[in-house]
Amino acid sequence: MLSAFIARPIVELKQRDKSKIESILAYGDRLLVGLSHGSLRVYRVNELIDEAQSHHGPAIEDQTHSSSAKQNAVDLMREEEKFSKHKIDQLAVIKEANLLLSLSNGLVSTHDLQTYELQETLLKTKGATTFAVTSNIFKDPSTGVPSIVSRLAVAVKRRVILWSWHDSELEPDTAEHTLVTGIKTLTWATGTKLLAGLTSSYVFVDIETSLITDIVGPGSIGGAPGQDGGRFGGVGVSTINYMGLGGAAPKPLATHLGEGQLLLAKDINTLFIDIEGQSLGRRQIPWAIAPEAIGYSYPYLLALQATRGTLEVRNPETLTLLQTISLPNASQLHISQPNISLAHAGKGFLVVSERCVWRMGALEYDSQIDALVDCGRLDEAISLLGMLEDALLKDKEGRLREIKMLKAQNLFDLRRYRESLDLFTEVSAPPERVIRLFPPIIAGQLSAQATPINDDENGENPQGHDVKSVPGREKNGGPQDATVSHTSTEESQASTPDGLHTNVSRQTDGGVLLEGKDLKAATAELRPFLVQARTRMQQYLNPDGTLKDARGDQSLEVTNVQEAQELLLAHAPGSREERRKQLVETAKLVDTTLFRAYMYASPSLAGPLFRLDNFCDPDVVKEKLIETGRYTDLVDFYYGKKLHEQALELLQKFGKQSQAEESSSQLAGPQRTISYLQSLPAEMIDLILRFADWPLDVDPQLGMEVFLADSENAETLPRQRVLNFLSSKDKALAEKYLKHVIEELNDTTPSFHQKLVDIYIQGLKEGKFVDDSSRKQWEEHTLSFLKSSRYYQPYKALQKLPADNPSFYEPRAIVLNRMGQHKQALEIYVFKLQDPEKAEDYCNQVQLAQTSSAITPKQGQRSIATDLEDKTTSIYHNLLSLYLSPPPPHKPQWGPALQILAKHGARMPAASTLDLIPEILPINDLESYFRGRIRSANTAINESRVTSALRSSLVFSEEAKLRLGDGVPGGNGGRNRHVLISEDRVCGVCYKRFGGSAIKVLPK
């Protein structure tokens, strides 16, 4: 059991001393002892070296310690033999008023606190049975100035008489409150509320409003008629003795329990209430017999069992009995006022018998926590840590977290997996510590169950794992640390609500590991813990394993270092790089374990994990997925881990199989490989070209989707490398890619255009076509590209075009056009192709290009078409000259020449054109030419006349508006427009008055 306190006798009456101790009072370093014959002894309490502070071994129950041989615990300072004529029943002090209060012979008296001389006997208190004192600080409602108010409440039969002191000044008036029955005990709940324990119930007395409130409770504590909530029908053991055997009636007891709580106890019934008198709804304390006195010594609940001569120490939250101290014939508890500071609370309360006074020394709270953990009472340790202030413990948060993790381990051993993992999650347990509880199928090599548990001859655990062991807190490393004895007291086991003790073994007789339904249930609860751990890891790590710097370079160095260390089993070293490595290892462990858990319980959930950034171990994932035939998930995992080569090798393996297995049917054929290649960035061009080879061999049209897809990755690929690769495979593939790049992506790189021209020319030269239609289609593509492209080099293309091959006549003409050699191009159309229509179309295109690029005449400069045409040589003139004056051995072609003159004669210079016409040509044949020329000249003259007339009309319209106005309301009024100039009219610019100045009105 726990050893929270150690009893040391500090005052013992000698055998020859016939007096008895009736009351005591401790304040400061003074101890006042009131004796049965009326004497008052004043002791000085010496500060001894607290043996409990250095006590590390287990405390022995029912053990008392004698006074120090070198130094007395107390020194008798004086004895007031004539302090009272009768026994001193009660003592109290009001420091602010320098008063000592005593109750003797049914009267309350005041004494000087320094000299102990009697000052006054309060005659109104005749017949008093008890009194209570309190001192509090109140602010004056009008001035706001704080003052110390001390109050004395005296119980006289059914009456409560009140005295008050304000800043050591006694108020002349007293107050009285009469209750329904005799008053047995008084306890101040607050500075203005008094709790009175009556013969049959408890009441609250508000001394400011005089309001009396009954407290409803179980059994003998009190309640409404007909209610009976206590054991034994509201009649306890002591009450039965009183009614049947003449025993004393139990006294109503009350004590404070920390902030805003009180405990009422009568007989064996208890009630927890707040300062308003409302029940807190807590269960009763399991007392076997009624206590003689109760108290609260931070943070424990005390109960003095006079019949047994023991002091019980309980946890006020769990009500568990933690310690029993043997104190023979003890009858009273003396505890400091509840408003004492926490630094001294619980370290100086006294226990009194008729012949002895014990001072209760408290162990260090850290030692108490260690003792509870050592005996396996983890819930009690957690409860005690929750009640204690941070300043009273070393690393309270760390201790609380560690003990909760021990409790979670024990819950796991008891197969209460949900509660265990919830508690691990609550305390942000290191993932490694949780994962090692699972067998190798989940935890891998980290598992503590990897080998059977057998203690060696030295009693050491070969696995290095123990449910009670705490990293960094091992004591001796011997057998007692590896396992905990099963021999614990019956009361200790019963007092733990969940029966959680660190002595619960993790192994059965056969060393059975988690398996079957138990393993599935545990794994299902492990997954939420690991998911939360992943979320925490993402706060510190980027997907590439580097540390996040959300707040600059010092993010993990200062702000989040504690949270980051919670993710590690051991403390991270000071180096930032070392911390990063350990965080990466932890993240790898978490994700790999989560993968194993998914594969064991829910394999379908493993796929979504791969689509997120993860740190899974590739070897483990590969082994598991291949074992289960989940090749599609394996490819997704490789992609997420950027292991593209392994993924593409796997896709190639299954894609080339003629009959793929059922599990890998989705990977059959080149489609999946092509989709994977399309998702790779341009930086992976080597890998893309390497694994795009076999899809192009199997299905060239589908394989080209790697390079022709409408995606950013395909558009950003290095085009020259792709072109070289495709050229080595097939000219048709290169031609298809070049067309896509030039036509779809509008690439103007000259080399690409030249390469496509070369491919077209080479294709025509080789002539490897299936049929005439395919050849014709190729020629059309060639001519179309030669005409549309402006970025290839014409002279290089012309060199590759044979001059004597009829298949290349038209391509040469197009290239010559690009070079500006129009006459040579027309010679091909006229003499080699002998196609007047194509020759005329060629001239039309050239004329259109020249017209669009011609300089537009300046405004005001009159120009007609005939003027421009007479000064420049037209392309039609060149064609006409070839028809009429061909080089030998060609003959003139009169028919095409006359058609050119008829259609385009107006576009040619008249003088040079007439010079070309031979004299032998009849004038009748030139009728169309002359009509065209005349019509063209008339058109120009008529156009100029129409333009002149329109301009005259516009001038007339504008002049009419200025003279007569436009007729629009508020518009230009013409000559009818007027402006009124008054004496107050000012200029809109300089804001000066016009007066007799000259004015100028601007048009609107």
Side-chain angles (χ1 to χ4, degrees):
M1 294 181 68
L2 175 67
S3 180
F5 300 100
I6 299 176
R8 297 185 182 86
I10 57 175
V11 175
E12 292 181 281
L13 299 183
K14 298 179 180 180
Q15 292 184 355
R16 64 176 180 271
D17 191 345
K18 303 302 181 181
S19 60
K20 298 179 181 179
I21 300 175
E22 297 292 340
S23 60
I24 63 171
L25 173 63
Y27 67 95
D29 62 345
R30 292 292 185 265
L31 174 63
L32 308 183
V33 179
L35 303 178
S36 57
H37 55 70
S39 296
L40 179 69
R41 293 180 182 175
V42 181
Y43 295 91
R44 181 182 63 194
V45 181
N46 299 317
E47 286 294 335
L48 302 177
I49 298 176
D50 195 353
E51 296 177 2
Q53 304 298 328
S54 58
H55 181 70
H56 296 287
I60 302 176
E61 297 183 5
D62 304 333
Q63 178 183 5
T64 60
H65 297 266
S66 60
S67 310
S68 175
K70 297 182 180 179
Q71 182 181 9
N72 294 327
V74 295
D75 294 326
L76 180 61
M77 303 296 295
R78 61 190 295 181
E79 181 175 358
E80 296 291 333
E81 296 182 354
K82 297 181 180 180
F83 185 81
S84 175
K85 296 180 180 180
H86 305 276
K87 67 176 182 178
I88 305 172
D89 296 316
Q90 189 175 353
L91 293 170
V93 64
I94 301 178
K95 283 187 176 181
E96 293 73 23
N98 197 33
L99 291 178
L100 173 65
L101 305 177
S102 66
L103 173 62
S104 178
N105 193 30
L107 288 171
V108 176
S109 302
T110 61
H111 307 262
D112 185 273
L113 187 58
Q114 302 300 325
T115 63
Y116 308 106
E117 293 180 357
L118 177 64
Q119 291 185 348
E120 181 182 3
T121 299
L122 305 178
L123 299 179
K124 288 186 177 181
T125 63
K126 185 176 182 179
T129 55
T130 185
F131 67 84
V133 175
T134 185
S135 296
N136 303 91
I137 298 177
F138 292 92
K139 286 187 177 180
D140 188 289
S142 59
T143 62
V145 178
S147 61
I148 299 177
V149 178
S150 302
R151 291 189 172 95
L152 167 65
V154 182
V156 181
K157 298 182 180 179
R158 293 170 50 196
R159 295 180 302 148
V160 177
I161 308 175
L162 297 169
W163 283 266
S164 297
W165 285 262
H166 284 262
D167 291 332
S168 74
E169 295 294 331
L170 177 63
E171 290 189 350
D173 299 331
T174 59
E176 291 189 15
H177 301 276
T178 303
L179 307 181
V180 293
T181 60
I183 303 171
K184 301 297 183 181
T185 58
L186 290 176
T187 305
W188 285 100
T190 65
T192 59
K193 287 188 177 182
L194 185 64
L195 176 65
L198 309 181
T199 304
S200 58
S201 63
Y202 289 85
V203 295
F204 258 129
V205 180
D206 192 324
I207 63 175
E208 291 183 335
T209 62
S210 300
L211 179 64
I212 299 176
T213 306
D214 293 326
I215 297 176
V216 178
S220 58
I221 288 181
Q227 290 185 346
D228 188 5
R231 294 171 289 172
F232 307 108
V235 179
V237 176
S238 298
T239 305
I240 294 175
N241 291 339
Y242 168 71
M243 294 187 299
L245 303 177
K251 183 171 62 173
L253 306 175
T255 184
H256 282 267
L257 290 178
E259 201 67 32
Q261 296 184 18
L262 294 95
L263 170 64
L264 310 183
K266 189 176 183 182
D267 198 1
I268 57 173
N269 296 290
T270 57
L271 178 65
F272 293 89
I273 62 173
D274 57 19
I275 58 176
E276 302 297 329
Q278 300 298 320
S279 173
L280 299 177
R282 299 177 57 184
R283 65 187 182 93
Q284 296 195 48
I285 300 175
W287 279 325
I289 59 175
E292 180 69 21
I294 61 174
Y296 177 75
S297 179
Y298 180 84
Y300 297 108
L301 173 63
L302 309 173
L304 184 61
Q305 302 285 356
T307 56
R308 294 182 176 180
T310 58
L311 176 67
E312 293 183 356
V313 180
R314 292 180 180 269
N315 185 327
E317 288 187 350
T318 64
L319 307 183
T320 304
L321 179 61
L322 301 177
Q323 184 181 9
T324 301
I325 304 173
S326 177
L327 300 170
N329 302 320
S331 58
Q332 296 182 42
L333 281 175
H334 179 77
I335 303 174
S336 302
Q337 295 182 10
N339 55 359
I340 194 170
S341 67
L342 293 178
H344 303 282
K347 295 191 176 183
F349 76 93
L350 306 175
V351 182
V352 184
S353 69
E354 292 181 348
R355 307 288 299 176
C356 183
V357 177
W358 290 275
R359 183 181 183 184
M360 309 306 296
L363 271 74
E364 286 186 346
Y365 293 119
D366 289 297
S367 301
Q368 298 180 34
I369 299 298
D370 290 339
L372 289 173
V373 174
D374 290 341
C375 65
R377 309 185 75 172
L378 302 181
D379 284 314
E380 297 301 328
I382 293 172
S383 176
L384 181 58
L385 281 168
M387 292 185 293
L388 292 173
E389 297 291 333
D390 296 353
L392 303 178
L393 294 166
K394 300 176 182 178
D395 188 19
K396 174 183 175 180
E397 294 297 329
R399 296 294 304 278
L400 182 61
R401 178 171 178 263
E402 182 62 38
I403 295 173
K404 284 186 176 181
M405 286 191 287
L406 287 175
K407 178 182 177 180
Q409 289 182 225
N410 288 345
L411 288 169
F412 191 89
D413 297 334
L414 296 174
R415 288 175 167 77
R416 295 162 64 176
Y417 305 117
R418 173 167 295 184
E419 298 175 48
S420 173
L421 270 300
D422 286 347
L423 191 54
F424 275 129
T425 303
E426 176 188 338
V427 299
S428 300
E432 181 179 347
R433 185 165 185 170
V434 180
I435 293 171
R436 73 194 308 265
L437 300 176
F438 286 79
I441 192 174
I442 301 297
Q445 297 180 353
L446 183 65
S447 173
Q449 301 181 0
T451 56
I453 301 177
N454 291 319
D455 293 345
D456 59 9
E457 60 182 1
N458 295 326
E460 295 179 351
N461 189 338
Q463 305 171 112
H465 175 72
D466 175 58
V467 296
K468 189 184 81 64
S469 63
V470 182
R473 292 186 57 81
E474 291 79 0
K475 295 181 179 179
N476 299 319
Q480 69 274 17
D481 293 328
T483 57
V484 183
S485 174
H486 288 269
T487 59
S488 58
T489 63
E490 179 182 355
E491 186 178 36
S492 175
Q493 292 181 354
S495 63
T496 305
D498 295 329
L500 297 180
H501 302 274
T502 53
N503 55 15
V504 177
S505 177
R506 298 189 65 253
Q507 59 180 346
T508 61
D509 294 338
V512 180
L513 305 178
L514 277 178
E515 58 184 0
K517 293 183 178 180
D518 284 338
L519 180 55
K520 283 196 173 183
T523 303
E525 301 302 331
L526 174 66
R527 292 185 317 205
F529 171 82
L530 295 176
V531 170
Q532 188 189 61
R534 290 190 79 250
T535 304
R536 288 188 290 152
M537 293 299 303
Q538 292 172 0
Q539 298 177 6
Y540 312 112
L541 285 178
N542 292 311
D544 59 354
T546 58
L547 290 176
K548 284 187 176 180
D549 290 332
R551 299 184 181 180
D553 293 337
Q554 302 297 323
S555 175
L556 279 179
E557 300 293 342
V558 179
T559 308
N560 298 326
V561 63
Q562 183 176 358
E563 296 180 18
Q565 289 179 353
E566 288 179 355
L567 300 173
L568 302 173
L569 183 61
H571 290 289
S575 170
R576 181 182 176 88
E577 180 61 23
E578 290 296 326
R579 185 185 300 110
R580 185 196 66 80
K581 290 181 179 179
Q582 292 199 25
L583 285 172
V584 171
E585 288 299 321
T586 303
K588 183 177 180 180
L589 172 64
V590 170
D591 287 351
T592 305
T593 306
L594 182 60
F595 163 73
R596 289 194 182 104
Y598 281 147
M599 292 301 297
Y600 179 79
S602 303
S604 61
L605 297 178
L609 175 63
F610 301 149
R611 298 182 185 95
L612 303 173
D613 295 323
N614 62 82
F615 293 88
C616 292
D617 188 346
D619 295 334
V620 175
V621 173
K622 179 180 178 181
E623 178 184 357
K624 283 288 183 182
L625 293 180
I626 291 179
E627 179 182 342
T628 56
R630 303 179 68 87
Y631 300 107
T632 302
D633 288 340
L634 181 57
V635 171
D636 292 340
F637 171 73
Y638 280 148
Y639 180 80
K641 300 296 289 183
K642 294 182 173 54
L643 301 174
H644 303 301
E645 185 173 2
Q646 292 88 325
L648 290 169
E649 288 175 351
L650 184 66
L651 291 172
Q652 181 177 357
K653 173 184 176 182
F654 290 105
K656 286 184 175 181
Q657 292 180 357
S658 58
Q659 293 182 351
E661 301 177 4
E662 181 180 356
S663 59
S664 60
S665 60
Q666 297 180 0
L667 306 182
Q671 180 60 52
R672 188 63 193 274
T673 300
I674 293 171
S675 300
Y676 194 99
L677 292 173
Q678 289 175 340
S679 65
L680 297 180
E683 294 78 11
M684 310 293 295
I685 183 62
D686 293 330
L687 205 61
I688 294 173
L689 297 180
R690 173 184 168 189
F691 287 95
D693 187 61
W694 76 268
L696 288 172
D697 294 337
V698 174
D699 190 342
Q701 183 175 358
L702 186 61
M704 283 298 294
E705 291 298 320
V706 175
F707 310 107
L708 306 182
D710 186 14
S711 64
E712 183 179 358
N713 289 338
E715 293 178 3
T716 56
L717 290 174
R719 295 171 183 174
Q720 187 61 51
R721 295 196 58 183
V722 175
L723 179 60
N724 296 338
F725 168 74
L726 294 176
S727 299
S728 65
K729 296 286 295 180
D730 190 353
K731 298 293 183 182
L733 299 180
E735 181 259 342
K736 190 174 183 178
Y737 178 72
L738 284 172
K739 287 184 65 177
H740 170 76
V741 169
I742 294 173
E743 297 176 3
E744 301 294 336
L745 304 183
N746 299 319
D747 195 321
T748 59
T749 305
S751 60
F752 290 163
H753 288 252
Q754 187 63 44
K755 181 66 175 178
L756 184 56
V757 169
D758 296 343
I759 291 175
Y760 281 139
I761 295 174
Q762 187 65 27
L764 289 175
K765 287 182 178 180
E766 294 176 355
K768 298 179 181 179
F769 301 105
V770 179
D771 50 20
D772 293 340
S773 61
S774 60
R775 179 183 180 86
K776 186 177 182 180
Q777 184 179 7
W778 186 271
E779 291 177 350
E780 290 177 355
H781 290 167
T782 304
L783 296 176
S784 175
F785 184 73
L786 289 174
K787 291 179 181 179
S788 61
S789 177
R790 295 291 182 269
Y791 300 101
Y792 65 89
Q793 298 178 354
Y795 67 92
K796 288 186 177 181
L798 186 63
Q799 292 176 356
K800 295 183 179 182
L801 291 171
D804 55 351
N805 191 335
S807 299
F808 296 94
Y809 287 161
E810 190 170 0
R812 284 182 61 86
I814 295 174
V815 173
L816 289 171
N817 178 25
R818 287 289 316 281
M819 298 174 65
Q821 303 295 331
H822 300 302
K823 186 173 182 179
Q824 297 180 20
L826 287 173
E827 288 178 352
I828 293 175
Y829 286 115
V830 172
F831 301 123
K832 293 184 178 181
L833 293 177
Q834 296 182 0
D835 192 341
E837 292 184 357
K838 289 186 178 181
E840 184 180 356
D841 290 340
Y842 178 86
C843 292
N844 292 338
Q845 294 175 6
V846 173
Q847 179 66 23
L848 182 62
Q850 291 177 350
T851 304
S852 61
S853 61
I855 300 176
T856 304
K858 296 182 179 180
Q859 185 177 2
Q861 179 179 354
R862 300 184 60 184
S863 175
I864 59 175
T866 56
D867 297 336
L868 180 62
E869 292 167 357
D870 289 341
K871 295 179 181 179
T872 60
T873 302
S874 173
I875 186 64
Y876 298 103
H877 186 274
N878 295 334
L879 179 59
L880 181 63
S881 65
L882 292 177
Y883 283 143
L884 296 178
S885 303
H890 303 288
K891 297 180 180 181
Q893 301 180 28
W894 306 108
L898 292 176
Q899 289 183 2
I900 291 297
L901 287 173
K903 293 180 180 180
H904 308 286
R907 294 188 175 92
M908 295 183 288
S912 58
T913 301
L914 291 175
D915 291 340
L916 291 175
I917 299 175
E919 296 179 356
I920 61 175
L921 187 65
I923 297 298
N924 186 33
D925 294 340
L926 298 175
E927 179 182 2
S928 299
Y929 167 69
F930 290 118
R931 287 182 181 274
R933 291 289 303 182
I934 294 171
R935 188 180 295 112
S936 176
N938 291 337
T939 299
I941 294 173
N942 292 335
E943 181 181 354
S944 64
R945 290 175 179 175
V946 171
T947 302
S948 177
L950 291 175
R951 290 184 179 276
S952 298
S953 177
L954 179 61
V955 170
F956 179 80
S957 176
E958 293 298 326
E959 185 177 358
K961 288 182 180 179
L962 291 175
R963 293 177 178 274
L964 305 177
D966 53 10
V968 178
N972 183 12
R975 291 182 175 181
N976 294 327
R977 182 184 178 192
H978 63 276
V979 178
L980 179 63
I981 303 298
S982 64
E983 294 181 357
D984 299 329
R985 187 73 179 267
V986 297
C987 177
V989 178
C990 64
Y991 301 103
K992 293 182 179 180
R993 291 175 56 185
F994 287 112
S997 303
I999 61 174
K1000 182 178 181 181
V1001 179
L1002 301 177
K1004 293 184 179 180

